[in-house]
Amino acid sequence: MESIWEKFSKMYREKDQVGLLTWAYVIISVAVVIVAGLIALINQSVGVAILIIPLVAVAAMCANVMVWSLIRFILQTHETKEKAKQRAAKQAAKKTK
């Protein structure tokens, strides 16, 4: 079984940026929730106030993933249209010969 570090290295080499971004948000959110829990043992109001950070992180992660997906969709659609134009141009050139 591969370690977490090997898994992240593999994701980095494969340029899986969305996966890395998602894991970064998850790790940060979990760490902040643990810290907020420890602080809440001392001062409850401060601990609860710190829980806003993971809430914002999750909202930002959702927005980033949606925007990333939209950009990839637009780029793939553009590439598909370009390939279709190139194929049509090649077929037109063959017909004229």
Side-chain angles (χ1 to χ4, degrees):
M1 188 158 94
E2 63 184 353
S3 70
I4 293 173
W5 184 255
E6 291 169 349
K7 186 175 185 175
F8 288 146
S9 296
K10 181 180 175 184
M11 290 171 73
Y12 180 76
R13 284 191 303 271
E14 293 174 355
K15 297 185 179 181
D16 184 14
Q17 293 142 344
V18 175
L20 286 172
L21 182 68
T22 302
W23 276 106
Y25 278 116
V26 168
I27 291 169
I28 290 169
S29 296
V30 169
V32 170
V33 166
I34 291 171
V35 169
L38 293 173
I39 292 174
L41 292 173
I42 299 168
N43 188 343
Q44 184 179 6
S45 61
V46 174
V48 171
I50 291 175
L51 287 176
I52 293 172
I53 296 170
L55 176 66
V56 171
V58 169
M61 179 185 71
C62 292
N64 282 333
V65 169
M66 287 189 319
V67 169
W68 191 270
S69 298
L70 183 63
I71 289 172
R72 289 185 70 188
F73 174 74
I74 290 170
L75 292 176
Q76 287 177 349
T77 304
H78 180 71
E79 289 175 5
T80 305
K81 286 181 182 178
E82 289 296 321
K83 288 179 183 177
K85 286 180 184 177
Q86 290 174 354
R87 273 188 266 139
K90 285 181 183 178
Q91 289 176 352
K94 286 182 182 179
K95 287 182 180 178
T96 57
K97 289 183 179 182

